[in-house]
Amino acid sequence: MATASNPRRPETSRKPSQRKSHPFLRLLLSVVIVALLLALGWSGWVVHRINQIASQDQAQPADAIAVFGAAEYSGRPSPVYHARLDHAVSLYQRQIAPLVITLGGGSNRDSGQTEGGVGRDYLLAQGVPYAAIIAETNSFSTSQQARRLAEIAHEHDLHHLVVVSDPTHLFRVQQLCLANGLDVYTSPRPALGHIDDYDLSMRYFHEILSYSAMRLELSDSWLHKWIDPKGDD
């Protein structure tokens, strides 16, 4: 008995679907990758320079010692500012320079106090003569302090300056001073206990952004207020 044969269905070849990526998306992805690589390379170079300057104490005989301001609380220097001022006192006692310049203004919430004025009062209490101190009280950022320092140096015929600040801060301080025509030697304040990884990372992050803003000729005031509203650079 003949059986009816089922007709064979033709086999169709199934090709995996191929999604074509849009040329604009490929270009955008390439640009993002290149930008990230450039940002990483730039950040790595800045960190290297920060560490390079931070590891050196260039203090040597000069015309003046300049202390970059940091936060003050009701007329008392913050621990960071305290350490900077103590280092300046030590340099003065070693006769590195006959003059100490304190830098930094104040805001409305500082009850009329300024970083420069508080620094001057602290130096007086440590035995530095009034005639050996210049207090600058009108600057509100590192870049403004560097500009005011250049003006003071010009007014008082100061040619060589030792600048005092935090280790991670000094590379930017040095570059700002050079941009303002100053001849400076950097001298980092001593470390204050242990700095945890987060705080250290934030300091580097702050300096990378601030230095990048400086090179792009952008104001660093917004960074100063955003990252460190009380002024502990």
Side-chain angles (χ1 to χ4, degrees):
M1 183 176 179
T3 58
S5 61
N6 294 327
R8 296 182 66 183
R9 296 180 179 179
E11 294 184 359
T12 58
S13 60
R14 297 182 179 180
K15 296 182 179 180
S17 61
Q18 297 178 350
R19 295 182 180 179
K20 294 184 178 180
S21 59
H22 197 282
F24 175 75
L25 294 179
R26 291 201 304 271
L27 176 62
L28 180 62
L29 179 61
S30 299
V31 169
V32 169
I33 291 173
V34 170
L36 286 174
L37 290 174
L38 289 174
L40 286 173
W42 171 255
S43 299
W45 180 83
V46 174
V47 168
H48 170 71
R49 294 292 289 131
I50 288 172
N51 290 336
Q52 200 172 39
I53 297 301
S55 65
Q56 302 172 3
D57 189 346
Q58 301 174 354
Q60 55 189 283
D63 298 314
I65 300 160
V67 187
F68 277 69
E72 56 81 22
Y73 302 107
S74 302
R76 295 187 302 275
S78 65
V80 167
Y81 196 20
H82 197 294
R84 295 182 191 182
L85 292 166
D86 280 342
H87 187 53
V89 170
S90 174
L91 294 173
Y92 177 80
Q93 291 173 343
R94 288 166 46 194
Q95 300 183 340
I96 291 294
L99 184 67
V100 183
I101 303 169
T102 57
L103 301 161
S107 62
N108 295 332
R109 57 186 175 180
D110 289 323
S111 304
Q113 300 285 352
T114 63
E115 295 169 7
V118 169
R120 174 197 57 215
D121 294 343
Y122 183 83
L123 294 176
L124 288 170
Q126 301 303 310
V128 180
Y130 187 86
I133 305 170
I134 296 175
E136 184 283 316
T137 60
N138 295 311
S139 57
F140 297 96
S141 68
T142 302
S143 58
Q144 290 180 13
Q145 289 176 18
R147 284 195 295 271
R148 286 291 296 125
L149 181 59
E151 292 170 4
I152 292 169
H154 178 73
E155 291 168 7
H156 294 268
D157 197 28
L158 307 173
H159 301 286
H160 308 288
L161 304 169
V162 175
V163 289
V164 173
S165 191
D166 295 357
T168 53
H169 190 211
L170 276 175
F171 169 60
R172 182 160 55 99
V173 166
Q174 179 202 56
Q175 295 301 302
L176 284 166
C177 288
L178 291 175
N180 282 278
L182 293 170
D183 181 19
V184 298
Y185 313 122
T186 58
S187 186
R189 61 128 174 115
L192 284 175
H194 174 71
I195 303 175
D196 62 41
D197 292 340
Y198 175 78
D199 286 339
L200 186 60
S201 297
M202 286 303 296
R203 292 188 185 195
Y204 280 113
F205 181 59
H206 182 186
E207 291 305 319
I208 290 168
L209 289 182
S210 297
Y211 180 68
S212 299
M214 169 197 147
R215 292 297 299 267
L216 294 171
E217 298 184 355
L218 303 174
S219 172
D220 65 348
S221 298
W222 64 277
L223 287 171
H224 185 78
K225 294 176 181 177
W226 172 47
I227 297 180
D228 201 354
K230 270 305 290 180
D232 271 344
D233 273 321

